[in-house]
Amino acid sequence: MHRNPDRPMSPHLTIWKWGPHMLVSILHRVTGAGLATLGAGLFTWWLVAAAMGPEAYESFSRWLNWLTGVGFEADKTAWGWVKYGFGAAIGVGLTWAFFQHALSGIRHFVMDIGAGYELKTNKMWAVLTMVGAVLLTAGLWFWVIMGRIA
Amino acid sequence: MTMETALGRVRGTGSAEAGAGHWWHERTSALATLILFTWFVVSLARLPALDHQTVSQWLTSPLAAAPMLLLVLATFWHLQLGLIVVIEDYVHEDGSRLFWATMVKFAAVLAGTLAAVSVLMLALGGGSP
């Protein structure tokens, strides 16, 4: 595409005052890109491993255990903390990304029908998607960990 | 002096091109993914275990395999639409934009086919026991 360098450029991210609506929009992209690569990769691997048989499934499960912290109790060394901390950060990050993307996606549906553009309403729903995503992530992991202990 | 009409001069230079179709596909696939993923999470939570035996047994039922296949199709259709929007926004040079958009489509079709074939193998009993 030909661009005339003499024409002024639209100012970008750095000049705007940050607000929840701007943050939620950026989060929607970032979480979407993360889910589309890492999330979809794990999902595909799970299905392929299930179709290939118990051995392939076992090796997938070992990776999934790392992401969900299974086995941490047996390895409370300094290396264990680093290894499982990193794994859990990816695991928790992916579930949070899913909830954030789903909730801000629902917010997009509402805005697509032309609703929720009033400044206060828009800000409130932007904040609520972020609060909701954190609560749902915490709830999911609470349920997972409680299920493991019980 | 040119024979070109005013309409001819501007046609094709806008940013929209095929934007409306893309927009609708993104929305419909988003709704489908949202519904199917809710089914997926609830189903996994209701399974007694997530080992190979339980999962492959579960996917032999058409009532599990059909929504799972739809989930695969909706997810990969949606994710390549989304990734292409990101590429269109940040890759400014025509050649590299076309290159990366094509790579995303190839990768999505490859991974989506792998996932879909796996679901079908489990559903039709072709998977390893």
Side-chain angles (χ1 to χ4, degrees), chain A residues 16-98:
Chain A
W16 305 108
K17 180 176 166 230
W18 279 76
H21 10 52
M22 180 164 158
L23 179 61
V24 104
S25 169
I26 293 168
L27 285 180
H28 193 68
R29 286 219 153 171
V30 174
T31 53
L35 290 166
T37 49
L38 223 58
L42 267 178
F43 180 60
T44 305
W45 185 8
W46 174 64
L47 286 171
V48 170
M52 282 179 73
E55 256 174 60
Y57 199 86
E58 189 53 41
S59 99
F60 168 79
S61 297
R62 272 200 298 276
W63 280 87
L64 198 67
N65 283 346
W66 174 59
L67 293 182
T68 52
V70 175
F72 170 63
E73 290 86 351
D75 185 15
K76 279 191 176 155
T77 56
W79 169 239
W81 278 95
V82 174
K83 183 178 139 193
Y84 283 101
F86 189 58
I90 300 174
V92 172
L94 267 178
T95 52
W96 166 77
F98 171 75

Side-chain angles (χ1 to χ4, degrees), chain B residues 2-79:
Chain B
T2 167
M3 297 287 282
E4 205 176 17
T5 63
L7 181 62
R9 260 204 317 281
V10 297
R11 189 171 269 160
T13 56
S15 61
E17 293 176 25
H22 185 284
W23 190 91
W24 271 112
H25 282 233
E26 196 169 85
R27 290 333 187 251
T28 17
S29 60
L31 185 60
T33 310
L34 185 65
I35 295 167
L36 290 163
F37 220 97
T38 309
W39 162 81
F40 176 63
V41 173
V42 171
S43 302
L44 284 191
R46 286 167 57 97
L47 284 178
L50 292 177
D51 56 287
H52 181 253
Q53 168 89 39
T54 318
V55 168
S56 48
Q57 183 65 36
W58 173 56
L59 284 174
T60 56
S61 161
L63 293 181
M68 186 63 94
L69 188 60
L70 289 176
L71 174 63
V72 168
L73 298 178
T75 301
F76 280 95
W77 184 238
H78 183 71
L79 76 82

Side-chain angles (χ1 to χ4, degrees), chain A residues 72-147:
Chain A
F72 170 63
E73 290 86 351
D75 185 15
K76 279 191 176 155
T77 56
W79 169 239
W81 278 95
V82 174
K83 183 178 139 193
Y84 283 101
F86 189 58
I90 300 174
V92 172
L94 267 178
T95 52
W96 166 77
F98 171 75
F99 287 125
Q100 180 62 50
H101 196 79
L103 291 182
S104 46
I106 293 170
R107 177 172 172 266
H108 270 290
F109 282 145
V110 176
M111 287 164 66
D112 286 343
I113 60 168
Y117 280 93
E118 298 80 7
L119 287 181
K120 271 193 178 164
T121 320
N122 195 289
K123 191 172 174 176
M124 181 185 75
W125 284 108
V127 171
L128 282 180
T129 64
M130 290 186 278
V131 173
V134 170
L135 288 179
L136 284 168
T137 310
L140 176 73
W141 285 94
F142 179 75
W143 179 76
V144 167
I145 290 166
M146 281 297 131

